[in-house]
């Protein structure tokens, strides 16, 4: 009889429940005990220092790693994923911290990589491109689906990653630092999409080191530290300082060091620089001990300037004058011989050699210093330098002999920066130096940049985080569409002014 057998369903309010999950890699206890409850249909942010265990937890939720112990429930059912296929079957999508696209495939191919036929056995290229184009349009990402993915800058590649995971039918979406390479405008577009997904009932886990983003988007924020859950907070009733205190276990008084006074001496003059693809008539100067910011939207040409000055990209016209002498730079070793160093935006492709030990990665740019005495790489000296840098930057690692790939994202970034800290270069170009770095370590990197300037180094700073550019730079050049549109000095360096000159004229209201 109907009615006799009524089962009582209690609606489970949680999309994800994690109980006492532990995970070790050899001797490293990445997760000591993680507890987490994520309400269905909410945006749940996770924050924690570099190496706290955020990515490890996400990789367990997506079946890349298996947990050592503990329990995981997805929509109330206990799950034990042992492969990424299982998480896909459970409609869990993830965007990894390190981009995982195939550079030789087109954007559309990457978006539908798991299902190129879109349900059919034959691949219909026209349809594939059209469909990918629609998804990108809807997201507001200005990317041609036929472009070879490897030709896109990292920010654009990140947009492709986002489109890729949104193209799937997911009801839990994990984003591990999706915004690290995006600037304000692109982050706003991403947030619009995330809010739409949330309205459709999708549960979202969002990892970022940018506090203002978490405050803006998250319904709840969980802080993890050294592999343990510290607290879950409601952003409506806490402020950024509270979060930082939970995260680093102490109060951070000042984020930015007081600006030094740069010298009068012009160290570098760049005149009428142009490239075949983007830059036009770029003219600027850099003084001794000065920090000069390059501001602009993605694609404005900031990274292109860095690449030209370091000899990676060819300039078609223009003059570079160093200490009053005209110089030519055709490749990175020429740039370095003129005292110009670059910390590139993509540590994976350009900055770090992932399979080599941390020790080597820290000293690679410095082989001259390391080998000077003996004419070969003196390992003890290399070890000494890397230990020193490790302490200075508070890099979390097991042994400096481990491969750099075993480090958390933020700690890899610190290694890449460390490499340039005792170089003989006196002009340093820093392209997104704090990408993926936690708040505490950001402060350390700011202090190092400041100290370098005080010691007479000249710094060209590129960052998508506008507050960083504003608070560190003595002068800022604003760029738009390959040109410098404005030079801002002192009090005039403000978010409003930067935006005013960063937005392409034809789009300006
Ligand atoms: N495959 C691995 N082999 C060895 N150690 C690892 C591996 N993956 C992670 N670890 C270690 O586990 C710890 C946690 O790393 P995880 O990547 O989860 O940190 P995270 O919180 O994501 O940091 P970040 O903010 O820098 O991305 C780190 O000490 C890291 O070095
Ligand atoms: Mg991580």
């Amino acid at each position: 009889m109907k009615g006799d057998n009524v089962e009582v369903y209690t609606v489970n309010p949680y999309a994800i429940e994690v109980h006492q999950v532990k995970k070790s890699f050899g001797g490293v206890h990445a997760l000591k005990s993680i507890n987490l409850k994520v309400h269905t249909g909410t945006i749940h942010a996770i924050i924690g220092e570099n190496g706290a265990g955020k990515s490890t937890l996400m990789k367990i939720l997506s079946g890349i790693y298996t947990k050592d112990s503990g329990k995981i429930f997805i929509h109330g059912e206990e799950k034990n994923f042992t492969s990424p296929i299982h998480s896909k079957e459970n409609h869990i999508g993830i965007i990894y911290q390190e981009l995982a696209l195939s550079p030789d495939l087109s954007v559309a191919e990457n978006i539908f990589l798991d299902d190129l036929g879109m349900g059919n056995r034959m691949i219909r290229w026209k349809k594939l491109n059209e469909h990918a184009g629609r998804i990108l349009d809807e997201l507001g990402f200005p990317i041609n689906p036929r472009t070879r993915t490897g030709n896109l800058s990292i920010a654009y590649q990140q947009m492709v990653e986002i489109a890729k995971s949104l193209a799937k039918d997911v009801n839990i979406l994990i984003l591990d630092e999706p915004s690290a390479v995006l600037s304000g405008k692109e982050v706003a577009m991403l947030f619009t999409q995330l809010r739409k997904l949330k309205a459709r009932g999708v549960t979202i886990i969002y990892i970022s080191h940018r506090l203002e983003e978490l405050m803006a988007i998250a319904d709840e924020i969980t802080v993890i530290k050294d592999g343990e859950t510290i607290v879950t907070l409601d952003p409506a009733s806490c402020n950024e300082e509270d979060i930082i205190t939970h995260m680093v276990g102490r109060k951070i008084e000042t984020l930015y060091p007081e600006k030094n006074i740069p010298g009068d001496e012009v160290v570098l003059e760049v005149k009428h620089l142009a490239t075949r693809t983007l830059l036009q008539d770029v003219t600027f100067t850099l003084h001794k001990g000065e920090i000069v910011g390059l501001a602009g939207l993605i694609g404005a040409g900031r990274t292109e300037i860095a690449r030209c000055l370091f000899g990676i990209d060819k300039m078609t016209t223009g003059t570079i004058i160093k200490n009053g002498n005209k110089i030519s730079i055709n490749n990175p070793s020429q740039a370095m011989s003129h005292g110009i160093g670059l910390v590139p935006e993509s540590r994976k492709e350009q900055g770090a050699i992932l399979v080599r030990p941390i020790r080597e990665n820290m000293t690679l740019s410095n082989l001259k210093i390391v080998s000077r005495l003996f004419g070969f790489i003196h390992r003890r000296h290399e070890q000494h330098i890397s230990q020193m840098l490790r302490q200075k930057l508070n890099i979390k690692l097991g042994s400096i002999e481990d491969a750099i790939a075993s480090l958390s994202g933020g700690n890899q970034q610190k290694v890449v920066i460390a490499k340039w800290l005792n170089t003989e270069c006196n002009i340093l170009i820093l392209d997104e130096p704090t990408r993926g770095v936690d708040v505490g370590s950001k402060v350390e990197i700011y202090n190092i940049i400041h100290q370098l300037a005080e010691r007479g180094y000249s710094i060209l700073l590129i960052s998508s985080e506008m507050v960083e550019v504003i608070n560190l730079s003595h002068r800022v050049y604003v760029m738009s569409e390959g040109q410098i549109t404005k030079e801002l000095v002192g009090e005039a360096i403000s978010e409003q002014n930067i935006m005013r000159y960063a937005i392409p004229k034809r789009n300006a209201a």
Side-chain angles (χ1 to χ4, degrees), residues 25 28 30 48-57 65 97 176-177 209 396 406-411 436:
F25 298 99
V28 180
E49 290 177 292
N50 298 129
K54 303 177 295 294
S55 297
T56 303
L57 176 61
Y65 295 155
Q97 185 170 9
D176 194 351
E177 287 192 55
H209 288 292
K396 191 178 170 193
S406 74
L407 294 182
S408 77
N411 282 301

Side-chain angles (χ1 to χ4, degrees), residues 98 344 346-367 377 382 400-407 412-413 415-417 419-420:
E98 301 297 332
S346 159
R347 58 177 170 265
K348 198 169 165 190
E349 281 160 31
Q350 301 154 15
I353 303 174
L354 291 177
V355 294
R356 305 300 303 171
I358 297 162
R359 166 178 52 79
E360 275 181 28
N361 270 288
M362 281 188 181
T363 48
L364 267 177
S365 62
N366 234 356
L367 291 183
I377 300 171
E382 210 183 52
I400 55 167
E401 299 304 325
D402 292 344
I404 194 172
S406 74
L407 294 182
Q412 287 183 19
Q413 180 65 14
V415 170
V416 175
I417 295 213
K419 166 168 119 156
W420 290 102

